[in-house]
Amino acid sequence: MNAPVKAVPTLPDAQTVTQVKHWTDRLFSFRVTRPASLRFRSGEFVMIGLMGDPDPVTGKQKPLLRAYSIASPSWDEELEFYSIKVQDGPLTSKLQHIKVGDQIILRPKPVGTLVHDALLPGKRLWFFATGTGFAPFASLLRDPQTYEDYDEVIITHTCRDVAELEYGRQLIEEIRSDELLGELIGEDNLKKLVYYPTTTREESPKMGRVTDKLRSGEIFKDLGVPPMTPETDRAMVCGSLGLNNDLKEILEGFGLEEGANSEPKHYVVEKAFVG
Ligand code: A2P
């Protein structure tokens, strides 16, 4: 008879890293295996992380976890995340060094407000992102429901410089050339998926904060759409606290009201993780 096989010690809720891409010295994305039992709605987040340093007294290690939006769509067999690198950030100072084959901790309990269920039906859906706030929209933009439920989808992404837009730019290109999504969007229907990138600290074709462009009406002129109304427009917002607050004020100014899973309305907001 064989001796019982000893279990290899592993992290609780461990998942294996399958891909890492560094976009700039401040940004990276990575993919991990997906727990077979994990079901989520595109746009939701989970807690992920690594084991922290041993406690100097007890020597015990505790998991260091943070909320991360899942950037992959709900049909994908792996999970993708898009992260900032903060050199003295408790988690990202370590997480930025992960390699294929490493393990991370992932608590399989998805939650969040950036979901289709939190919005009333509408005609035009706006996604407003800054920096890594693009992550939940990377999921929603790859979800067929987004194009089935709306006539027009507009994604705005504001970053400091052009290199920081690259993850989003490539993703939009992939979506347009994807067999299924590309067909849903339609080659000649330029309004079905509109990408509006802007930079604030480096020269690019469109410069400035999206908030200023909404206040001045420039964005509506650029895109050839009427100003937002609660009858036609729905919005999801993900960025820094400052962006979220400013956009809330702007959207409320257009008459839109904030929704939630339990009470769907016209717009929803979530803070992008930053540390
Ligand atoms: P800015 O360069 O004017 O601060 P970060 O990299 O710091 O997270 O910022 C990402 C992008 O979000 C930057 O282009 C930044 O512009 C922009 N941003 C920061 N705060 C706001 C805000 N309150 N409204 C609109 N854009 C903002």
Side-chain angles (χ1 to χ4, degrees):
M1 224 171 80
N2 290 335
V5 180
K6 238 184 163 184
V8 180
T10 184
L11 296 168
D13 291 332
Q15 296 301 324
T16 306
V17 177
T18 58
Q19 189 189 75
V20 185
K21 273 193 194 177
H22 292 272
W23 297 90
T24 70
D25 57 359
R26 289 206 318 143
L27 296 167
F28 72 118
S29 63
F30 55 98
R31 292 174 72 88
V32 303
T33 50
R34 176 172 175 173
S37 62
L38 178 66
R39 297 277 171 274
F40 66 97
R41 294 176 296 173
S42 297
E44 287 188 313
F45 65 82
V46 285
M47 303 298 290
I48 66 169
L50 298 168
M51 288 308 278
D53 291 332
D55 182 284
V57 181
T58 63
K60 277 196 181 155
Q61 284 177 283
K62 274 204 239 153
L64 191 57
L65 300 174
R66 295 288 183 273
Y68 266 82
S69 289
I70 302 174
S72 45
S74 50
W75 50 260
D76 200 326
E77 62 189 27
E78 290 182 340
L79 297 174
E80 184 174 310
F81 298 97
Y82 182 47
S83 178
I84 191 97
K85 305 177 201 174
V86 181
Q87 294 323 321
D88 55 359
L91 178 60
T92 61
S93 60
K94 293 192 172 74
L95 195 64
Q96 64 182 287
H97 300 297
I98 52 167
K99 301 261 179 308
V100 171
D102 287 352
Q103 294 196 328
I104 65 154
I105 305 167
L106 188 150
R107 300 270 191 257
K109 291 196 180 65
V111 283
T113 56
L114 302 181
V115 292
H116 284 302
D117 294 344
L119 294 178
L120 293 169
K123 175 176 183 296
R124 194 179 296 115
L125 177 60
W126 297 79
F127 293 141
F128 295 106
T130 55
T132 56
F134 192 87
F137 306 134
S139 175
L140 284 152
L141 284 164
R142 287 183 271 187
D143 187 334
Q145 190 189 345
T146 300
Y147 308 102
E148 286 160 3
D149 286 2
Y150 292 90
D151 294 345
E152 297 172 22
V153 178
I154 301 167
I155 165 84
T156 82
H157 193 195
T158 301
C159 290
R160 294 182 186 186
D161 54 42
V162 174
E164 294 187 344
L165 291 169
E166 191 56 17
Y167 172 81
R169 195 197 64 76
Q170 280 190 24
L171 189 102
I172 300 288
E173 214 173 81
E174 276 168 37
I175 290 171
R176 290 194 197 285
S177 55
D178 180 85
E179 209 174 318
L180 175 80
L181 295 173
E183 193 158 307
L184 271 174
I185 294 160
E187 250 174 64
D188 42 358
N189 188 353
L190 290 177
K191 285 215 159 162
K192 188 81 189 183
L193 171 60
V194 177
Y195 174 49
Y196 191 86
T198 78
T199 56
T200 51
R201 304 192 194 184
E202 187 189 8
E203 198 76 37
S204 77
K206 194 45 80 181
M207 293 202 58
R209 290 180 165 196
V210 74
T211 42
D212 293 333
K213 300 194 181 304
L214 283 163
R215 286 192 192 103
S216 67
E218 181 184 342
I219 189 167
F220 305 120
K221 247 191 241 151
D222 286 346
L223 301 178
V225 297
M228 301 176 78
T229 69
E231 286 73 39
T232 51
D233 296 83
R234 302 291 172 261
M236 296 196 190
V237 181
C238 189
S240 62
L241 200 56
L243 170 94
N244 291 359
N245 288 338
D246 289 355
L247 259 174
K248 267 183 174 204
E249 196 185 303
I250 292 168
L251 295 175
E252 302 266 343
F254 286 120
L256 275 67
E257 291 174 32
E258 187 168 4
N261 272 283
S262 54
E263 200 181 353
K265 283 195 181 166
H266 312 125
Y267 78 91
V268 279
V269 176
E270 209 145 71
K271 193 170 166 289
F273 166 62
V274 282

